Amino acid sequence: MVTLDLPPDEAHRLARLAALCVMDTEPEPLFDHLAALAAQICGTPVALLGLVDERRQWFKAAVGFGRDETPRALTFCAHTLLADGLFEVQDALLDERFATHPDVLANPALRFYAGVPIRLDDGSHPGTLCVVDFQPREGDKVEIRALATLYEPRGRF
């Protein structure tokens, strides 16, 4: 796997994440529904709303994924934090950044990833909304537009 750079505003991003006071909180229907809607729109078995701190990605909402968090160094979403929009991996097995990732080598193997950064009003990205599939694929333009629309700032974020 490739070493990942930190976002240029990392200290500010982490301060804004901490100010949200949302890490390690109980599930909330709004965020659960957002993840479920993302999976349904994109036709994927997995959707995650993840928040990324110094050492991990913690999932505020998850559909089809059996973990509450993953190490930051192993997240596709850490790459998404660096993006201004969609970050897509059509076949992780063929992408040098992810070909040796434990979830790509697992059974079932993560193959497709599409994520958008959650953007706060000041432009910082505390986390991501993403969808995952176990089949390689290309994101449909309508699906991707819908995914991007779902993450627009609203409510508590």
Side-chain angles (χ1 to χ4, degrees):
M1 289 191 348
V2 175
T3 303
L4 183 67
D5 293 330
L6 295 176
D9 68 339
E10 182 67 356
H12 175 74
R13 190 191 73 74
L14 290 171
R16 286 297 310 266
L17 173 60
L20 292 173
C21 297
V22 70
M23 294 294 284
D24 300 308
T25 58
E26 294 296 317
E28 295 180 54
L30 173 66
F31 297 116
D32 293 340
H33 291 176
L34 184 63
L37 185 58
Q40 184 177 17
I41 288 170
C42 295
T44 59
V46 176
L48 305 163
L49 192 151
L51 301 168
V52 182
D53 68 14
E54 300 92 341
R55 60 179 177 72
R56 66 187 170 133
Q57 178 177 16
W58 174 76
F59 303 113
K60 179 63 178 165
V63 171
F65 197 69
R67 290 177 266 169
D68 294 334
E69 64 182 58
T70 57
R72 182 175 179 166
L74 294 179
T75 66
F76 282 64
C77 294
H79 292 264
T80 306
L81 290 178
L82 299 170
D84 240 356
L86 176 75
F87 177 73
E88 181 179 16
V89 178
Q90 295 177 359
D91 189 343
L93 191 59
L94 302 179
D95 189 311
E96 70 178 24
R97 296 169 294 185
F98 306 108
T100 61
H101 188 287
D103 289 337
V104 174
L105 300 175
N107 186 14
L110 184 157
R111 297 295 289 277
F112 171 79
Y113 170 94
V116 290
I118 297 167
R119 183 173 293 126
L120 299 179
D121 56 1
D122 68 350
S124 61
H125 301 159
T128 66
L129 175 63
C130 68
V131 293
V132 172
D133 203 339
F134 303 114
Q135 306 294 324
R137 61 186 269 195
E138 183 177 339
D140 172 274
K141 290 193 185 318
V142 172
E143 293 172 354
I144 297 306
R145 270 198 315 268
L147 183 63
T149 299
L150 289 175
Y151 89 93
E152 290 177 359
R154 352 179 148 358
R156 206 160 73 145
F157 283 158

